[in-house]
């Protein structure tokens, strides 16, 4: 029976400490009550394994094995304490369970949104206080399908406004993707789609709860992600600046140096690209200081695909061998040997190894 409840209700169960806190009891007092229930089979108070709780550990003395409880079990315990004259706030206990349920739902929605930020093939496009994501990401956040999304989008466009809501505004609720011409949606736009779907779509109650919760938390989630990305961007800018300084403002491929006479435009190139490997985005070892023209040529050669250190080495051999040709100079040979050792080592160290953010 324990396996059955774990599969069906596991994520919603409350720990021993949570239950004690809700009931305003110590964990020892709660344990004593549960032991009393277990010891007396002839009274009306009973908590059944598989219906009201599950054991976290399946072996050992029952009174020492930690449990997780259903909300129904908490309600039963609250009634028991009330009848014993120990508490008189059963309704407050039920309210606490409701708040916990809503809080947990919001946390699940927040987790879903953050997961979409991480897994999306197209990064957020930040414009001031708004961040815009693709239609695909929006659909995933709302847990809908193309038809449901299109119906909601069309209703908002046709009506021009929602009850108690302003009409959709470009650059605030959505923008047009320069590549696909498809709408990209901001946190405000997604909140309005969620409101429309909860009010006007024929969806199940569980789905309605989800989209309503999305409407509640999406703006806060986006705000936190914008803050995180802006902070990461500042760190990356500083790392690139440090990398340029460390090379004495010299291209590590061509050897050209930026000075008052030579206005070389230097770029900090991410050898493992920023989108695929955000964990390495602010690692100075992952930054190659290179002339802008070489940088442009490399990405044109890659065709906009993700890149790794081995790709840049192949680019030099196949496309810009002139930059590393040892016949050009001793300096060219040394630069290439340095690049070869550095990039091969970087590839080996981080190809399958991810840094913790």
């Amino acid at each position: 029976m324990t396996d059955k409840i774990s599969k069906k209700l596991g994520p919603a169960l409350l720990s021993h400490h949570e239950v004690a806190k809700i009931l305003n009891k110590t964990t020892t007092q709660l344990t004593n009550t549960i032991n009393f229930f277990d010891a007396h089979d002839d009274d009306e108070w009973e908590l059944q394994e598989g219906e009201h709780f599950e054991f976290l550990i399946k072996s050992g003395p029952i009174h020492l094995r930690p449990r997780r409880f259903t909300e129904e079990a908490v309600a039963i315990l609250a009634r028991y304490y009330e009848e014993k004259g120990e508490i008189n706030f059963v309704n407050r206990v039920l309210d606490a369970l409701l708040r916990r349920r809503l809080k947990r739902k919001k946390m699940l929605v927040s987790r879903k949104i953050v997961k979409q930020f991480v897994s999306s093939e197209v990064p957020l496009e930040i414009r001031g206080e708004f961040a815009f994501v693709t239609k695909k990401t929006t659909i995933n956040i709302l847990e809908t399908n193309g038809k449901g999304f299109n119906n909601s989008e069309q209703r908002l466009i046709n009506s021009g406004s929602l009850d108690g809501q302003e009409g959709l505004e470009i650059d605030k609720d959505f923008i047009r993707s320069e590549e696909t011409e498809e709408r990209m949606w901001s946190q405000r736009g997604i909140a309005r789609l969620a409101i429309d779907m909860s009010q006007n779509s024929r969806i199940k109650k569980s789905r309605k709860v989800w989209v309503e919760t999305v409407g509640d938390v999406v703006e806060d989630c986006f705000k936190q992600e914008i803050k995180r990305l802006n902070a990461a961007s500042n760190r990356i800018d500083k790392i690139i600046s440090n990398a340029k300084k460390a090379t004495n403002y010299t291209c590590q491929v061509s050897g050209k140096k930026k000075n008052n006479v030579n206005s070389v435009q230097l770029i900090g190139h991410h050898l493992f690209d920023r989108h695929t490997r955000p964990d390495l985005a602010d690692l100075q070892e992952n930054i190659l200081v290179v002339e802008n023209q070489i940088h442009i040529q490399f990405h044109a050669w890659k065709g906009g695909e993700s890149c790794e250190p081995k790709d840049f080495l192949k680019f030099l051999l196949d496309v810009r061998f002139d930059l590393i040709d040892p016949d050009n100079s001793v300096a060219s040979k040394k630069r290439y040997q340095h690049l070869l050792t550095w990039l091969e080592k970087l590839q080996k160290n981080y190809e399958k190894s991810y840094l913790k953010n």
Side-chain angles (χ1 to χ4, degrees):
M1 187 68 79
T2 301
D3 293 338
K4 182 179 179 181
I5 194 171
S6 295
K7 184 176 180 181
K8 185 177 180 181
L9 298 174
L13 299 181
L14 292 87
S15 70
H16 191 97
H17 288 82
E18 283 182 292
V19 174
K21 184 176 180 181
I22 288 173
L23 294 171
N24 197 28
K25 297 290 182 181
T26 66
T27 54
T28 300
Q29 288 173 323
L30 178 59
T31 298
N32 290 338
T33 301
I34 293 167
N35 289 339
F36 172 78
F37 282 14
D38 291 341
H40 296 80
D41 295 330
D42 56 348
D43 63 13
E44 60 180 315
W45 301 106
E46 184 180 33
L47 296 180
Q48 294 185 353
E49 181 186 1
E51 182 178 347
H52 300 117
F53 70 89
E54 69 169 12
F55 287 113
L56 285 178
I57 300 174
K58 296 183 179 181
S59 60
I62 288 179
H63 67 283
L64 296 178
R65 288 154 60 183
R67 313 181 192 202
R68 295 198 305 166
F69 301 87
T70 64
E71 292 184 355
E72 183 182 355
V74 180
I76 291 171
L77 287 162
R79 293 292 181 190
Y80 169 77
Y81 286 128
E82 184 180 53
E83 289 198 12
K84 294 283 289 182
E86 296 182 28
I87 64 172
N88 58 1
F89 51 86
V90 170
N91 288 336
R92 280 164 54 188
V93 169
L94 298 179
D95 286 344
L97 290 175
L98 176 60
R99 288 195 301 273
R100 179 188 180 274
R101 205 177 306 146
L102 293 174
K103 181 179 178 181
R104 186 174 183 278
K105 177 64 71 174
K106 288 185 177 182
M107 290 177 69
L108 288 173
V109 173
S110 298
R111 180 181 177 186
K112 175 82 172 185
I113 292 172
V114 171
K115 184 177 180 181
Q116 286 303 309
F117 291 153
V118 173
S119 63
S120 176
E121 296 176 359
V122 181
L124 277 75
E125 185 166 335
I126 299 175
R127 298 190 183 182
E129 63 182 303
F130 297 105
F132 298 84
V133 295
T134 63
K135 174 181 176 180
K136 180 181 177 181
T137 300
T138 302
I139 287 174
N140 288 338
I141 288 172
L142 291 168
E143 290 195 351
T144 185
N145 53 38
K147 182 179 179 181
F149 174 87
N150 291 337
N151 288 341
S152 182
E153 179 185 43
Q154 204 57 50
R155 279 194 298 269
L156 294 180
I157 293 170
N158 290 341
S159 67
S161 65
L162 290 168
D163 293 337
Q165 299 287 329
E166 298 175 4
L168 293 177
E169 295 183 52
I170 193 166
D171 293 327
K172 291 186 177 180
D173 295 310
F174 68 92
I175 58 173
R176 291 281 187 180
S177 168
E178 294 180 359
E179 295 181 3
T180 65
E181 284 296 311
E182 197 174 63
R183 284 186 179 86
M184 296 180 68
W185 293 85
S186 72
Q187 62 268 39
R188 197 175 87 161
I190 294 174
R192 294 185 177 183
L193 286 165
I195 292 171
D196 172 78
M197 291 179 69
S198 67
Q199 292 180 349
N200 302 311
S201 296
R202 294 180 179 178
I203 54 179
K204 295 180 179 179
K205 288 184 178 180
S206 58
R207 288 273 299 107
K208 186 175 181 179
V209 170
W210 179 268
V211 294
E212 286 177 345
T213 309
V214 169
D216 288 340
V217 305
V218 66
E219 297 194 61
D220 284 339
C221 289
F222 270 56
K223 187 183 297 181
Q224 289 301 315
E225 184 66 6
I226 291 170
K227 184 178 179 180
R228 186 188 71 80
L229 289 175
N230 284 337
S233 181
N234 291 336
R235 290 198 307 273
I236 292 168
D237 288 345
K238 184 176 180 180
I239 289 296
I240 291 175
S241 177
N242 291 342
K244 290 179 180 179
K245 186 176 180 180
T247 64
N248 198 20
Y249 303 97
T250 303
C251 175
Q252 293 177 283
V253 177
S254 70
K256 290 184 181 179
K257 183 176 180 180
K258 181 179 180 180
N259 50 42
N260 294 333
V261 178
N262 192 2
S263 58
V264 178
Q265 185 179 0
L266 297 175
I267 297 294
H269 167 66
H270 285 80
L271 292 160
F272 282 102
D273 69 274
R274 289 172 61 171
H275 177 57
T276 306
R277 294 299 303 271
D279 59 311
L280 302 176
D282 57 359
L283 180 70
Q284 189 166 327
E285 184 185 357
N286 190 43
I287 304 297
L288 174 72
V289 178
V290 64
E291 286 184 62
N292 187 42
Q293 277 302 109
I294 298 173
H295 190 243
I296 291 172
Q297 289 173 5
F298 169 73
H299 283 291
W301 174 72
K302 279 297 292 177
E305 297 177 356
S306 62
C307 64
E308 298 182 356
K310 63 183 179 182
D311 297 316
F312 200 87
L313 286 174
K314 183 172 175 57
F315 164 74
L316 291 177
L317 289 169
D318 294 353
V319 181
R320 292 303 307 270
F321 184 72
D322 61 293
L323 295 170
I324 58 173
D325 188 348
D327 291 338
N328 288 343
S329 66
V330 174
S332 294
K333 184 177 181 179
K334 285 185 176 181
R335 280 196 304 274
Y336 177 63
Q337 287 298 325
H338 172 70
L339 284 170
L340 181 61
T341 303
W342 167 23
L343 271 59
E344 288 287 4
K345 184 177 179 181
L346 187 70
Q347 184 76 41
K348 179 182 178 181
N349 289 344
Y350 296 106
E351 185 173 15
K352 295 180 180 180
S353 177
Y354 288 77
L355 297 180
K356 294 181 180 180
N357 288 324

